[in-house]
Amino acid sequence: MRVTIDDIARITGYAKSTVSASLNNKPGVKPETRQRILEAAAEMNYTPNELARSLSNRSTRTIGMLVRDVGHPFFSRLCRAVEKVADERGYSLLLSNSDLSEEKMLRSIRMMKSKIVSGIVAVHLEVRDAESPILKELQGCGIPYVLFGDRYETIHADCVEADDYNGAMQAAEYLIEQGHTDIGFAYAGPSSVYGTRRLNGVKEACRRKGIALREEFIFCGAGNMAGGEKLGMKLMNMEHRPTALIAFNDPVAMGVIKSMYAMGKRLPEDLSVIGFDNLEMMPYPLTTVDIPYDTMGKKAAEMLLERIRNPDEPVQRLFLPTKMIIRDSVARR
Amino acid sequence: MRVTIDDIARITGYAKSTVSASLNNKPGVKPETRQRILEAAAEMNYTPNELARSLSNRSTRTIGMLVRDVGHPFFSRLCRAVEKVADERGYSLLLSNSDLSEEKMLRSIRMMKSKIVSGIVAVHLEVRDAESPILKELQGCGIPYVLFGDRYETIHADCVEADDYNGAMQAAEYLIEQGHTDIGFAYAGPSSVYGTRRLNGVKEACRRKGIALREEFIFCGAGNMAGGEKLGMKLMNMEHRPTALIAFNDPVAMGVIKSMYAMGKRLPEDLSVIGFDNLEMMPYPLTTVDIPYDTMGKKAAEMLLERIRNPDEPVQRLFLPTKMIIRDSVARR
DNA sequence: TTGAAAGCGCTAACAA
DNA sequence: TTGTTAGCGCTTTCAA
């Protein structure tokens, strides 16, 4: 059986409230008493039962994190960032993977509610409006939460997001400045919220610069590296292909480039490529749009802890700028 | 205020023990009663307080996972695998990042003990013997645990591990079969437990095949991609360099290859490279030693749940074989 | 089949 | 400064 404060009370002869007060460094305990109690606790190798504490305190100091796939580099980076802040502030992290399943997300939210997490960071829910059942569930919990990457005017909630739209616009502008006029864009398809946003940025840049973005240069089906690989092969075999491609993200870019190398083509001579993310583990000098994931994760966690501390503060929306990282995957024409 | 079973009891007129029994599908409740109670619960949007349940049941159905860096692809893959099994069995995952800090690890273990996790998966503790303070702490908790990747004869504990030694041996043998006699090995250095094990495998293969593994071809300081990049530059500038390199892991291989490409060299003509891991997101057709992380994570989780269910079973040690994945990064000589 | 009451380990209000 | 007592929300005897 574990040691409890009752045991300590019994051994030292004090009341358990006194033991509790001593252990928690509350004022109003005679120093010697505290001293004696602390010693006894240490000697008995006492570890507080946080379950009991939490039940009484109505706070678990645990934050829940809802993620689509920890296996992906951006999500895992995010986890790391959130865990770090949480740990520094005495919170721990309950992690749940949704695997893109709506059912699992709902289940996770209920689980977190049951486990009385102090707050939830929900990453890339990709909800489209305030009517989403997932969002409803989240809001119905009465638990503070922060949305990561789901900023919609119709949703009144704390959130942190990157400025995908402008990031994509800058990428396209950069390409145009480098002399490209046949620009392509690769993404999963119209169902991808972020992909669509980035595509719109590219379109806007073309519009402003008076360049046509050809329909047939907008490629669907490329949301990850495998998709990028397929696209790369297709591109290399096209008779008229764009001179530059903006990939939805770095893995897509990586896939495209992998195929290029496999087919004996050269980057950027045969095709200029721009990515999105700025992943650490990138084997080519890829020009890319940096999404400040680490900062975003940190901010999201801080925002959540702030919200937990003060539920009545006005809603905060953090909109972080992206940054063009120019390396060597774009040719000048 | 949240609704509790007391509320349901009050509303329906039953005793709270009856409500509890109904909610938990325990026998001995009249079907109609249960029906009525369940309806009331649903109507009132009741969510059980797992904290209270856990306190009473002495089980949180939460498993703690101790990891060095979720940001790294292998660890995040592991997390995903463990979370999946946990979720399927009704457990949730409490994740902690050690950042290689011993102090943080100790703190995390205590936190997990405090939060009464049902079990712990400890990944790559890299403890060297049974005297490690971290291991002591872990064992002192009285919480079931499984070590991931820390199999030592002196440590009597459940563990799952990959056969690094034989994996490395096979890699080296393959190289030798392909006609290579000047083989190099790159790792972080003697302080790396896994690196040392792999190096030993390479040495053994050379011994068996009667080939000399030259001291100056054993490269230290390469434990990640950045290290690999530096090494790649160094290698390309060496007058006499090995014809093939076994990298500690895929990121190191990736770094080496990145430098090769950057310097206009070709893979595998200028240097054959073998990695370790078989990462999904690999931009070259890298010949590598597959470490079955997904399976290992799954097995570790299952083993832990088994241990939780039955604490008195004999200790289990799972030793999973690696597998050579032959692609195109090794030249025939 | 249902209800009353004790207990899980802790905190906190109040009394002494 | 310390002790008593009543919760926190649930499960689990045991009695009715």
Side-chain angles (χ1 to χ4, degrees):
Chain A
M1 212 53 272
R2 285 172 70 121
V3 177
T4 71
I5 55 170
D6 290 275
D7 298 325
I8 303 181
R10 203 162 19 75
I11 298 281
T12 59
Y14 288 101
K16 85 183 191 185
S17 57
T18 308
V19 174
S20 172
S22 305
L23 256 20
N24 291 300
N25 256 309
K26 297 253 160 106
V29 179
K30 190 155 54 156
E32 307 152 42
T33 307
R34 159 165 303 141
Q35 177 71 9
R36 226 173 297 163
I37 289 177
L38 257 32
E39 276 167 11
E43 198 166 326
M44 300 168 78
N45 191 22
Y46 168 76
T47 314
N49 182 330
E50 285 295 336
L51 236 43
R53 283 179 122 230
S54 298
L55 185 59
S56 189
N57 283 333
R58 289 128 182 292
S59 160
T60 54
R61 293 191 83 85
T62 299
I63 84 171
M65 186 158 176
L66 220 59
V67 141
R68 311 180 71 132
D69 181 4
V70 230
H72 265 278
F74 11 94
F75 294 129
S76 65
R77 247 168 94 181
L78 231 48
C79 285
R80 190 220 268 143
V82 171
E83 199 270 354
K84 184 154 182 286
V85 175
D87 178 62
E88 285 164 3
R89 308 280 220 86
Y91 282 75
S92 35
L93 188 73
L94 196 64
L95 184 73
S96 180
N97 230 230
S98 75
D99 275 330
L100 305 169
S101 141
E102 179 159 321
E103 181 269 330
K104 169 89 191 268
M105 295 190 94
L106 289 174
R107 209 148 41 78
S108 297
I109 294 172
R110 289 191 200 114
M111 175 275 281
M112 288 178 181
K113 184 182 176 192
S114 271
K115 298 221 162 163
I116 324 284
V117 297
S118 304
I120 294 178
V121 177
V123 182
H124 282 203
L125 255 27
E126 292 219 357
V127 296
R128 297 190 161 272
D129 55 57
E131 296 310 307
S132 146
I134 294 171
L135 196 62
K136 287 253 197 246
E137 187 75 31
L138 193 55
Q139 295 175 317
C141 279
I143 296 177
Y145 66 93
V146 167
L147 299 181
F148 186 101
D150 289 285
R151 176 181 161 281
Y152 296 90
E153 300 312 331
T154 50
I155 298 173
H156 190 67
D158 290 324
C159 58
V160 11
E161 198 191 26
D163 192 349
D164 292 89
Y165 180 81
N166 276 303
M169 200 161 79
Q170 283 164 28
E173 278 172 354
Y174 173 72
L175 247 24
I176 297 168
E177 282 161 13
Q178 297 302 306
H180 293 272
T181 49
D182 290 329
I183 295 176
F185 180 77
Y187 72 139
S191 65
S192 158
V193 172
Y194 304 97
T196 305
R197 236 180 270 171
R198 290 174 192 175
L199 172 56
N200 287 336
V202 173
K203 282 182 176 164
E204 175 62 15
C206 291
R207 201 192 56 73
R208 289 195 192 170
K209 298 273 186 178
I211 279 190
L213 179 63
R214 295 163 59 178
E215 268 306 319
E216 66 270 33
F217 286 174
I218 299 175
F219 305 98
C220 293
N224 53 29
M225 184 166 115
E229 263 185 89
K230 271 190 211 141
L231 176 61
M233 310 219 299
K234 179 177 158 190
L235 274 169
M236 291 304 114
N237 288 324
M238 275 173 80
E239 214 163 308
H240 294 290
R241 64 164 176 253
T243 57
L245 181 78
I246 298 178
F248 170 62
N249 60 15
D250 283 0
V252 170
M254 205 144 135
V256 170
I257 299 171
K258 182 177 182 184
S259 285
M260 289 173 62
Y261 276 114
M263 298 172 77
K265 306 288 182 174
R266 285 165 321 153
L267 176 80
E269 290 81 354
D270 293 298
L271 178 70
S272 291
V273 179
I274 290 189
F276 248 93
D277 282 341
N278 194 21
L279 293 187
E280 285 169 17
M281 215 175 282
M282 181 50 63
Y284 319 103
L286 184 71
T287 293
T288 191
V289 179
D290 177 68
I291 312 247
Y293 287 112
D294 295 333
T295 312
M296 290 170 80
K298 182 163 179 278
K299 291 290 180 192
E302 289 172 350
M303 202 184 273
L304 181 63
L305 294 177
E306 189 48 39
R307 169 68 55 210
I308 291 169
R309 159 162 309 156
N310 187 348
D312 299 322
E313 258 184 6
V315 157
Q316 253 195 78
R317 311 190 133 186
L318 245 187
F319 203 51
L320 294 177
T322 60
K323 191 173 155 208
M324 277 296 293
I325 306 289
I326 297 177
R327 289 196 273 250
D328 303 314
S329 63
V330 172
R332 177 143 193 90
R333 294 179 66 89
Chain B
M1 210 56 267
R2 284 172 72 121
V3 353
T4 71
I5 55 171
D6 290 274
D7 298 324
I8 303 182
R10 205 164 16 76
I11 298 281
T12 59
Y14 288 101
K16 89 184 192 185
S17 54
T18 308
V19 175
S20 172
S22 305
L23 256 20
N24 290 301
N25 256 309
K26 296 254 160 104
V29 179
K30 189 155 56 156
E32 306 152 40
T33 307
R34 160 164 303 140
Q35 178 72 7
R36 228 174 295 162
I37 289 177
L38 257 31
E39 277 167 12
E43 199 166 325
M44 300 168 76
N45 192 22
Y46 169 76
T47 315
N49 182 329
E50 285 294 337
L51 234 46
R53 284 181 121 230
S54 299
L55 184 58
S56 191
N57 283 335
R58 293 131 177 289
S59 161
T60 54
R61 293 191 83 85
T62 300
I63 84 171
M65 186 158 176
L66 220 60
V67 141
R68 309 180 73 133
D69 181 4
V70 230
H72 264 279
F74 11 95
F75 294 129
S76 67
R77 248 168 94 180
L78 233 47
C79 284
R80 190 220 269 144
V82 171
E83 199 270 352
K84 184 154 182 286
V85 175
D87 178 62
E88 286 164 1
R89 310 280 220 86
Y91 282 75
S92 36
L93 189 74
L94 197 64
L95 184 74
S96 180
N97 230 230
S98 74
D99 277 330
L100 304 170
S101 141
E102 179 159 323
E103 181 268 330
K104 169 90 191 268
M105 296 190 93
L106 289 174
R107 210 149 39 79
S108 297
I109 294 173
R110 287 190 200 117
M111 176 274 281
M112 289 180 182
K113 184 181 178 193
S114 271
K115 299 219 162 165
I116 325 282
V117 297
S118 303
I120 295 178
V121 177
V123 182
H124 282 202
L125 253 29
E126 293 220 356
V127 296
R128 298 190 161 270
D129 55 57
E131 297 311 307
S132 145
I134 294 171
L135 196 62
K136 288 251 198 244
E137 186 75 30
L138 193 54
Q139 296 175 317
C141 278
I143 295 177
Y145 66 93
V146 167
L147 299 180
F148 186 101
D150 289 284
R151 176 179 160 282
Y152 295 91
E153 302 312 332
T154 50
I155 297 173
H156 190 67
D158 290 324
C159 58
V160 10
E161 198 191 28
D163 192 350
D164 293 89
Y165 180 82
N166 276 302
M169 201 161 78
Q170 284 163 29
E173 278 171 354
Y174 173 72
L175 247 25
I176 297 169
E177 282 160 14
Q178 297 302 304
H180 292 272
T181 49
D182 289 330
I183 295 175
F185 180 78
Y187 72 139
S191 66
S192 158
V193 173
Y194 305 97
T196 305
R197 236 180 268 172
R198 291 174 191 176
L199 173 57
N200 287 336
V202 173
K203 281 183 177 165
E204 175 62 15
C206 290
R207 201 190 56 71
R208 289 194 191 170
K209 299 271 186 178
I211 280 190
L213 179 64
R214 295 163 59 178
E215 266 307 319
E216 66 270 34
F217 286 174
I218 298 175
F219 305 98
C220 292
N224 53 28
M225 183 164 117
E229 264 186 88
K230 269 190 213 145
L231 175 61
M233 308 219 301
K234 179 177 157 188
L235 274 168
M236 292 303 114
N237 289 325
M238 275 174 80
E239 214 163 311
H240 294 290
R241 64 165 175 252
T243 58
L245 180 78
I246 297 178
F248 169 62
N249 60 14
D250 283 0
V252 170
M254 206 143 133
V256 170
I257 300 172
K258 181 176 182 184
S259 285
M260 288 172 63
Y261 276 112
M263 297 171 78
K265 307 287 182 174
R266 283 164 325 150
L267 175 80
E269 290 81 355
D270 292 300
L271 179 70
S272 291
V273 179
I274 290 188
F276 247 94
D277 280 341
N278 194 22
L279 291 187
E280 285 169 18
M281 213 174 284
M282 182 49 64
Y284 319 102
L286 184 71
T287 292
T288 191
V289 178
D290 176 69
I291 311 248
Y293 287 112
D294 296 332
T295 311
M296 290 170 80
K298 184 164 177 277
K299 291 290 180 194
E302 289 172 350
M303 202 184 271
L304 181 63
L305 294 177
E306 190 46 41
R307 168 70 52 212
I308 291 170
R309 159 162 311 156
N310 187 349
D312 299 323
E313 259 184 5
V315 156
Q316 255 195 76
R317 311 190 134 185
L318 245 188
F319 203 50
L320 293 177
T322 59
K323 191 174 154 206
M324 277 297 293
I325 306 288
I326 297 177
R327 289 195 275 249
D328 304 314
S329 64
V330 173
R332 177 146 193 88
R333 296 179 65 88

